[in-house]
Amino acid sequence: MIKHPLRILTMGLALTAATLAAAAAQDLPKMKQKQAYKVGFAQTESNNPWRIAQTESMKAEAQKQGWQLVYTDAAGSAAKQVADVDSMIAQGVDLIFLAPREEKPLVAAVMKAKRAGIPVILLDRRVDETQAKPGRDYVTFIGSDFIDQGRRAAEWLVKSTGGNAKIIELQGTVGSSPANDRRKGFAEVIAKNPGMQIVASQSGDFVRDKGRQVMETLLQANPQATAVYAHNDEMAIGALAALEAAGRKPGKDITVVSIDGTRDALQGIVDGKIGAVVESNPRFGPKAFETARRYAAGEKIDPWIKVPDNFYEASNAAESVASAY
Ligand code: GZL
């Protein structure tokens, strides 16, 4: 008997739910204590300085600790990142560090590793916590408070514009926790200031040239804009090119605020083109490996190990350019 497509879909969803529930019921995999480990690091992509700095930090720490690192680069594909985690499971790594590109698709990778008895530590980005939880499905999330980053960017913008601005927002990767939460934190503060208005908001995927293209389009449609909020520095730098090509003078007739702390962005502050940058520290290596070792030793690990972030503006950017990435 041919099953109706809807029936097949319903069965599929039921199976997924059942699989998730079964995995959730299992205990968090342990990590045997050894002198050195074989660990995986599943990176999202290497298309901007932030991602490259994160990878360099992980590779340097693996070298320093004498651990074997199985590194993969998903080249911007959540599906490939899930497959990359599959390959690490097949290689029998002791633990997986995962920077989940997007919140929902990467839940599958976390649960597959758990079912295979391999602990996962999330770095940098979160997965959907209604489906996978720290302390139950993965060890912990090590990363910044992206909602607070959005709030800090908005608070600075309110102060620097006297509470009056028409804002173009350049969002990060669609479905990623930094994009979702930076938007949420920023909007929360803007909503409390009647003179502040987000006139347009669109994703530039955290990429410089997409940021430039999106800025060009949104600026044409919103010539009245007086401020730009970029979810990362690469899109902010791209936005500067679009603004100047349109005859605008960033830092004079339009205020730009961003997040990350790359060398180009800090130089942009020194040059007076970018107003402020909220740091999002990419150098996870030491804390990631220390946490794995603590977990292996049987220590209780907090569900969120929060990474502290600096704040850069005209008063302190110059002194940090040399050490930036
Ligand atoms: C933030 C990180 C973001 C950066 C971007 O922790 O996930 O991804 O802000 C990067 O520059 O692409």
Side-chain angles (χ1 to χ4, degrees), residues 174-223:
V174 175
S176 69
S177 59
N180 293 337
D181 290 351
R182 287 171 181 169
R183 176 164 174 69
K184 186 175 171 187
F186 186 84
E188 192 185 281
V189 172
I190 297 306
K192 294 174 189 164
N193 292 273
M196 305 291 283
Q197 183 194 4
I198 299 169
V199 295
S201 182
Q202 190 177 324
S203 176
D205 202 23
F206 285 135
V207 173
R208 183 176 297 202
D209 201 49
K210 284 185 190 170
R212 182 190 59 76
Q213 292 164 29
V214 170
M215 186 71 226
E216 204 172 64
T217 306
L218 298 184
L219 187 63
Q220 276 165 9
N222 301 277

Short mmCIF file of all heavy atoms in Angstrom, two decimals, residues 174-223:
data_model
loop_
_atom_site.label_atom_id
_atom_site.label_comp_id
_atom_site.label_asym_id
_atom_site.label_seq_id
_atom_site.Cartn_x
_atom_site.Cartn_y
_atom_site.Cartn_z
N VAL A 174 22.51 34.16 8.35
CA VAL A 174 21.13 33.83 8.69
C VAL A 174 21.09 32.50 9.48
O VAL A 174 21.73 31.52 9.08
CB VAL A 174 20.28 33.70 7.41
CG1 VAL A 174 18.87 33.22 7.75
CG2 VAL A 174 20.22 35.04 6.69
N GLY A 175 20.41 32.52 10.62
CA GLY A 175 20.26 31.29 11.41
C GLY A 175 21.39 31.05 12.38
O GLY A 175 21.33 30.10 13.18
N SER A 176 22.39 31.94 12.39
CA SER A 176 23.50 31.75 13.34
C SER A 176 23.16 32.45 14.67
O SER A 176 22.48 33.49 14.67
CB SER A 176 24.78 32.35 12.77
OG SER A 176 24.71 33.77 12.72
N SER A 177 23.66 31.91 15.79
CA SER A 177 23.32 32.54 17.08
C SER A 177 23.90 33.95 17.20
O SER A 177 23.21 34.82 17.75
CB SER A 177 23.80 31.65 18.24
OG SER A 177 25.19 31.44 18.20
N PRO A 178 25.10 34.26 16.69
CA PRO A 178 25.54 35.66 16.79
C PRO A 178 24.62 36.61 16.03
O PRO A 178 24.31 37.70 16.53
CB PRO A 178 26.95 35.65 16.21
CG PRO A 178 27.10 34.37 15.50
CD PRO A 178 26.17 33.41 16.15
N ALA A 179 24.15 36.22 14.86
CA ALA A 179 23.25 37.12 14.12
C ALA A 179 21.92 37.27 14.86
O ALA A 179 21.43 38.38 15.07
CB ALA A 179 23.02 36.59 12.71
N ASN A 180 21.35 36.17 15.30
CA ASN A 180 20.07 36.23 16.02
C ASN A 180 20.18 37.09 17.29
O ASN A 180 19.36 37.96 17.54
CB ASN A 180 19.60 34.83 16.41
CG ASN A 180 19.23 33.98 15.19
OD1 ASN A 180 18.91 34.51 14.12
ND2 ASN A 180 19.34 32.67 15.32
N ASP A 181 21.23 36.86 18.05
CA ASP A 181 21.32 37.52 19.37
C ASP A 181 21.83 38.95 19.28
O ASP A 181 21.41 39.81 20.07
CB ASP A 181 22.20 36.69 20.32
CG ASP A 181 21.53 35.37 20.72
OD1 ASP A 181 20.33 35.22 20.39
OD2 ASP A 181 22.18 34.52 21.32
N ARG A 182 22.72 39.24 18.32
CA ARG A 182 23.18 40.62 18.17
C ARG A 182 22.02 41.51 17.70
O ARG A 182 21.89 42.65 18.08
CB ARG A 182 24.36 40.68 17.20
CG ARG A 182 25.63 40.14 17.80
CD ARG A 182 26.75 39.97 16.81
NE ARG A 182 27.92 39.42 17.48
CZ ARG A 182 29.00 38.96 16.85
NH1 ARG A 182 29.07 39.01 15.51
NH2 ARG A 182 30.02 38.45 17.51
N ARG A 183 21.16 40.93 16.88
CA ARG A 183 19.98 41.68 16.42
C ARG A 183 19.04 41.93 17.59
O ARG A 183 18.55 43.03 17.80
CB ARG A 183 19.28 40.87 15.33
CG ARG A 183 17.99 41.45 14.80
CD ARG A 183 17.59 40.81 13.49
NE ARG A 183 16.28 41.24 13.02
CZ ARG A 183 15.98 42.46 12.59
NH1 ARG A 183 16.92 43.41 12.60
NH2 ARG A 183 14.77 42.76 12.17
N LYS A 184 18.86 40.88 18.41
CA LYS A 184 17.92 40.95 19.54
C LYS A 184 18.38 41.98 20.58
O LYS A 184 17.61 42.86 20.99
CB LYS A 184 17.86 39.56 20.19
CG LYS A 184 16.85 39.39 21.29
CD LYS A 184 16.85 37.91 21.72
CE LYS A 184 16.05 37.66 22.97
NZ LYS A 184 16.22 36.23 23.41
N GLY A 185 19.66 41.92 20.96
CA GLY A 185 20.18 42.84 21.98
C GLY A 185 20.14 44.28 21.52
O GLY A 185 19.78 45.20 22.27
N PHE A 186 20.49 44.49 20.24
CA PHE A 186 20.50 45.86 19.67
C PHE A 186 19.07 46.41 19.63
O PHE A 186 18.81 47.52 20.11
CB PHE A 186 21.08 45.80 18.26
CG PHE A 186 21.29 47.14 17.60
CD1 PHE A 186 22.44 47.88 17.85
CD2 PHE A 186 20.33 47.65 16.73
CE1 PHE A 186 22.64 49.12 17.23
CE2 PHE A 186 20.52 48.89 16.12
CZ PHE A 186 21.67 49.62 16.37
N ALA A 187 18.14 45.60 19.11
CA ALA A 187 16.75 46.06 18.96
C ALA A 187 16.12 46.40 20.31
O ALA A 187 15.35 47.36 20.44
CB ALA A 187 15.94 44.98 18.26
N GLU A 188 16.51 45.66 21.33
CA GLU A 188 15.97 45.87 22.69
C GLU A 188 16.28 47.29 23.18
O GLU A 188 15.42 47.99 23.71
CB GLU A 188 16.68 44.84 23.59
CG GLU A 188 16.19 44.60 24.96
CD GLU A 188 17.15 43.61 25.65
OE1 GLU A 188 17.06 42.40 25.40
OE2 GLU A 188 18.01 44.10 26.42
N VAL A 189 17.50 47.75 22.93
CA VAL A 189 17.91 49.09 23.40
C VAL A 189 17.31 50.16 22.49
O VAL A 189 16.80 51.18 22.97
CB VAL A 189 19.45 49.19 23.44
CG1 VAL A 189 19.90 50.64 23.72
CG2 VAL A 189 20.03 48.23 24.48
N ILE A 190 17.29 49.91 21.19
CA ILE A 190 16.74 50.89 20.25
C ILE A 190 15.27 51.14 20.56
O ILE A 190 14.79 52.29 20.53
CB ILE A 190 16.93 50.41 18.79
CG1 ILE A 190 18.41 50.29 18.45
CG2 ILE A 190 16.19 51.32 17.82
CD1 ILE A 190 19.24 51.54 18.68
N ALA A 191 14.58 50.07 20.94
CA ALA A 191 13.12 50.20 21.21
C ALA A 191 12.84 51.15 22.39
O ALA A 191 11.76 51.74 22.48
CB ALA A 191 12.54 48.82 21.51
N LYS A 192 13.84 51.33 23.25
CA LYS A 192 13.65 52.20 24.41
C LYS A 192 13.96 53.66 24.09
O LYS A 192 13.87 54.54 24.96
CB LYS A 192 14.56 51.74 25.58
CG LYS A 192 14.21 50.37 26.14
CD LYS A 192 15.25 49.95 27.17
CE LYS A 192 15.05 48.49 27.59
NZ LYS A 192 16.25 47.96 28.27
N ASN A 193 14.38 53.92 22.84
CA ASN A 193 14.80 55.29 22.47
C ASN A 193 14.03 55.75 21.24
O ASN A 193 14.39 55.39 20.11
CB ASN A 193 16.30 55.31 22.20
CG ASN A 193 17.11 55.07 23.48
OD1 ASN A 193 17.42 56.01 24.21
ND2 ASN A 193 17.44 53.82 23.77
N PRO A 194 12.94 56.49 21.44
CA PRO A 194 12.01 56.84 20.36
C PRO A 194 12.66 57.54 19.16
O PRO A 194 12.20 57.41 18.04
CB PRO A 194 10.99 57.76 21.02
CG PRO A 194 11.31 57.86 22.45
CD PRO A 194 12.53 57.06 22.75
N GLY A 195 13.80 58.24 19.40
CA GLY A 195 14.44 58.94 18.29
C GLY A 195 15.31 58.02 17.44
O GLY A 195 15.84 58.42 16.40
N MET A 196 15.45 56.76 17.86
CA MET A 196 16.30 55.80 17.14
C MET A 196 15.40 54.86 16.34
O MET A 196 14.46 54.29 16.87
CB MET A 196 17.14 54.98 18.13
CG MET A 196 17.97 55.79 19.09
SD MET A 196 19.34 56.67 18.29
CE MET A 196 20.52 55.32 18.06
N GLN A 197 15.71 54.71 15.06
CA GLN A 197 14.87 53.85 14.21
C GLN A 197 15.73 53.01 13.27
O GLN A 197 16.62 53.54 12.60
CB GLN A 197 13.92 54.73 13.39
CG GLN A 197 12.95 53.93 12.52
CD GLN A 197 12.27 54.81 11.47
OE1 GLN A 197 12.58 56.01 11.34
NE2 GLN A 197 11.38 54.21 10.70
N ILE A 198 15.49 51.69 13.26
CA ILE A 198 16.13 50.82 12.28
C ILE A 198 15.31 50.91 11.00
O ILE A 198 14.18 50.41 10.96
CB ILE A 198 16.22 49.37 12.79
CG1 ILE A 198 17.04 49.30 14.08
CG2 ILE A 198 16.84 48.45 11.73
CD1 ILE A 198 16.97 47.96 14.81
N VAL A 199 15.85 51.56 9.97
CA VAL A 199 15.07 51.78 8.74
C VAL A 199 15.21 50.62 7.76
O VAL A 199 14.35 50.43 6.89
CB VAL A 199 15.49 53.09 8.04
CG1 VAL A 199 15.15 54.30 8.90
CG2 VAL A 199 16.98 53.08 7.70
N ALA A 200 16.28 49.82 7.92
CA ALA A 200 16.46 48.66 7.02
C ALA A 200 17.40 47.68 7.68
O ALA A 200 18.31 48.08 8.43
CB ALA A 200 17.03 49.10 5.68
N SER A 201 17.20 46.38 7.43
CA SER A 201 18.04 45.34 8.05
C SER A 201 18.09 44.13 7.12
O SER A 201 17.05 43.60 6.74
CB SER A 201 17.45 44.95 9.40
OG SER A 201 18.26 43.99 10.03
N GLN A 202 19.32 43.72 6.78
CA GLN A 202 19.48 42.60 5.82
C GLN A 202 20.80 41.90 6.08
O GLN A 202 21.75 42.53 6.57
CB GLN A 202 19.44 43.15 4.39
CG GLN A 202 19.34 42.07 3.31
CD GLN A 202 19.23 42.70 1.93
OE1 GLN A 202 18.60 43.75 1.75
NE2 GLN A 202 19.87 42.07 0.96
N SER A 203 20.88 40.60 5.75
CA SER A 203 22.10 39.84 6.01
C SER A 203 23.16 40.07 4.95
O SER A 203 22.88 40.06 3.76
CB SER A 203 21.80 38.33 6.09
OG SER A 203 23.04 37.63 6.25
N GLY A 204 24.40 40.24 5.43
CA GLY A 204 25.58 40.28 4.56
C GLY A 204 26.46 39.07 4.84
O GLY A 204 27.61 39.01 4.43
N ASP A 205 25.90 38.10 5.62
CA ASP A 205 26.56 36.80 5.86
C ASP A 205 27.94 36.91 6.51
O ASP A 205 28.80 36.05 6.33
CB ASP A 205 26.68 36.03 4.52
CG ASP A 205 26.84 34.52 4.73
OD1 ASP A 205 26.45 34.04 5.82
OD2 ASP A 205 27.39 33.85 3.85
N PHE A 206 28.19 37.98 7.22
CA PHE A 206 29.48 38.22 7.91
C PHE A 206 30.65 38.40 6.92
O PHE A 206 31.81 38.32 7.32
CB PHE A 206 29.84 37.06 8.86
CG PHE A 206 29.07 37.02 10.14
CD1 PHE A 206 28.54 35.82 10.62
CD2 PHE A 206 28.86 38.16 10.91
CE1 PHE A 206 27.82 35.76 11.82
CE2 PHE A 206 28.15 38.11 12.10
CZ PHE A 206 27.63 36.91 12.56
N VAL A 207 30.32 38.65 5.64
CA VAL A 207 31.37 38.71 4.61
C VAL A 207 31.52 40.15 4.11
O VAL A 207 30.54 40.86 3.91
CB VAL A 207 31.00 37.78 3.43
CG1 VAL A 207 31.95 37.93 2.26
CG2 VAL A 207 30.98 36.33 3.91
N ARG A 208 32.79 40.59 3.92
CA ARG A 208 33.09 41.98 3.55
C ARG A 208 32.37 42.39 2.27
O ARG A 208 31.63 43.39 2.27
CB ARG A 208 34.61 42.17 3.37
CG ARG A 208 34.98 43.60 3.07
CD ARG A 208 36.48 43.84 2.98
NE ARG A 208 37.18 43.59 4.22
CZ ARG A 208 38.38 44.13 4.51
NH1 ARG A 208 38.95 44.93 3.65
NH2 ARG A 208 39.00 43.85 5.65
N ASP A 209 32.52 41.63 1.19
CA ASP A 209 31.95 42.13 -0.07
C ASP A 209 30.43 42.06 -0.09
O ASP A 209 29.77 42.91 -0.68
CB ASP A 209 32.53 41.38 -1.27
CG ASP A 209 32.34 42.23 -2.53
OD1 ASP A 209 32.68 43.44 -2.48
OD2 ASP A 209 31.78 41.73 -3.51
N LYS A 210 29.86 41.06 0.61
CA LYS A 210 28.39 41.03 0.70
C LYS A 210 27.91 42.22 1.53
O LYS A 210 26.89 42.82 1.24
CB LYS A 210 27.92 39.72 1.33
CG LYS A 210 27.98 38.51 0.41
CD LYS A 210 27.38 37.29 1.08
CE LYS A 210 27.65 36.02 0.27
NZ LYS A 210 27.27 34.81 1.05
N GLY A 211 28.68 42.55 2.55
CA GLY A 211 28.34 43.73 3.36
C GLY A 211 28.32 44.98 2.51
O GLY A 211 27.42 45.82 2.61
N ARG A 212 29.33 45.08 1.62
CA ARG A 212 29.39 46.24 0.72
C ARG A 212 28.17 46.28 -0.20
O ARG A 212 27.50 47.31 -0.33
CB ARG A 212 30.67 46.20 -0.11
CG ARG A 212 30.86 47.39 -1.05
CD ARG A 212 32.01 47.18 -2.01
NE ARG A 212 31.80 45.98 -2.84
CZ ARG A 212 30.93 45.95 -3.88
NH1 ARG A 212 30.20 47.02 -4.18
NH2 ARG A 212 30.77 44.84 -4.58
N GLN A 213 27.86 45.11 -0.81
CA GLN A 213 26.72 45.06 -1.75
C GLN A 213 25.40 45.39 -1.05
O GLN A 213 24.59 46.18 -1.55
CB GLN A 213 26.63 43.66 -2.37
CG GLN A 213 27.79 43.30 -3.30
CD GLN A 213 27.83 41.80 -3.57
OE1 GLN A 213 26.82 41.12 -3.54
NE2 GLN A 213 29.03 41.27 -3.81
N VAL A 214 25.20 44.82 0.12
CA VAL A 214 23.93 45.05 0.85
C VAL A 214 23.85 46.51 1.28
O VAL A 214 22.80 47.16 1.15
CB VAL A 214 23.82 44.10 2.07
CG1 VAL A 214 22.64 44.48 2.96
CG2 VAL A 214 23.67 42.66 1.60
N MET A 215 24.98 47.05 1.72
CA MET A 215 25.00 48.48 2.13
C MET A 215 24.63 49.37 0.95
O MET A 215 23.83 50.30 1.06
CB MET A 215 26.39 48.83 2.66
CG MET A 215 26.48 50.24 3.23
SD MET A 215 25.58 50.39 4.79
CE MET A 215 24.70 51.90 4.52
N GLU A 216 25.20 49.05 -0.20
CA GLU A 216 24.92 49.84 -1.41
C GLU A 216 23.41 49.86 -1.69
O GLU A 216 22.80 50.92 -1.86
CB GLU A 216 25.65 49.16 -2.57
CG GLU A 216 26.00 50.02 -3.76
CD GLU A 216 26.90 49.21 -4.73
OE1 GLU A 216 26.42 48.20 -5.26
OE2 GLU A 216 28.07 49.61 -4.88
N THR A 217 22.81 48.68 -1.65
CA THR A 217 21.37 48.55 -1.96
C THR A 217 20.52 49.27 -0.92
O THR A 217 19.63 50.05 -1.25
CB THR A 217 20.99 47.04 -1.97
OG1 THR A 217 21.84 46.35 -2.87
CG2 THR A 217 19.54 46.84 -2.36
N LEU A 218 20.83 49.04 0.35
CA LEU A 218 19.99 49.63 1.41
C LEU A 218 20.17 51.15 1.50
O LEU A 218 19.23 51.88 1.82
CB LEU A 218 20.31 48.97 2.76
CG LEU A 218 20.02 47.48 2.87
CD1 LEU A 218 20.29 46.98 4.29
CD2 LEU A 218 18.60 47.14 2.43
N LEU A 219 21.38 51.61 1.16
CA LEU A 219 21.62 53.05 1.21
C LEU A 219 20.86 53.76 0.08
O LEU A 219 20.26 54.83 0.29
CB LEU A 219 23.11 53.35 1.10
CG LEU A 219 23.54 54.80 1.29
CD1 LEU A 219 23.21 55.28 2.71
CD2 LEU A 219 25.06 54.94 1.03
N GLN A 220 20.80 53.11 -1.08
CA GLN A 220 20.03 53.69 -2.20
C GLN A 220 18.55 53.83 -1.81
O GLN A 220 17.90 54.82 -2.11
CB GLN A 220 20.16 52.82 -3.45
CG GLN A 220 21.41 53.11 -4.27
CD GLN A 220 21.71 52.00 -5.29
OE1 GLN A 220 20.90 51.09 -5.51
NE2 GLN A 220 22.90 52.06 -5.87
N ALA A 221 18.07 52.82 -1.09
CA ALA A 221 16.64 52.83 -0.71
C ALA A 221 16.38 53.69 0.52
O ALA A 221 15.25 54.06 0.80
CB ALA A 221 16.19 51.39 -0.43
N ASN A 222 17.47 53.98 1.26
CA ASN A 222 17.32 54.75 2.52
C ASN A 222 18.39 55.84 2.60
O ASN A 222 19.24 55.83 3.50
CB ASN A 222 17.44 53.81 3.73
CG ASN A 222 16.40 52.71 3.72
OD1 ASN A 222 15.26 52.91 4.14
ND2 ASN A 222 16.78 51.56 3.18
N PRO A 223 18.36 56.80 1.68
CA PRO A 223 19.40 57.85 1.65
C PRO A 223 19.40 58.71 2.93
O PRO A 223 20.37 59.38 3.22
CB PRO A 223 19.04 58.70 0.43
CG PRO A 223 17.60 58.39 0.13
CD PRO A 223 17.35 57.00 0.61
#
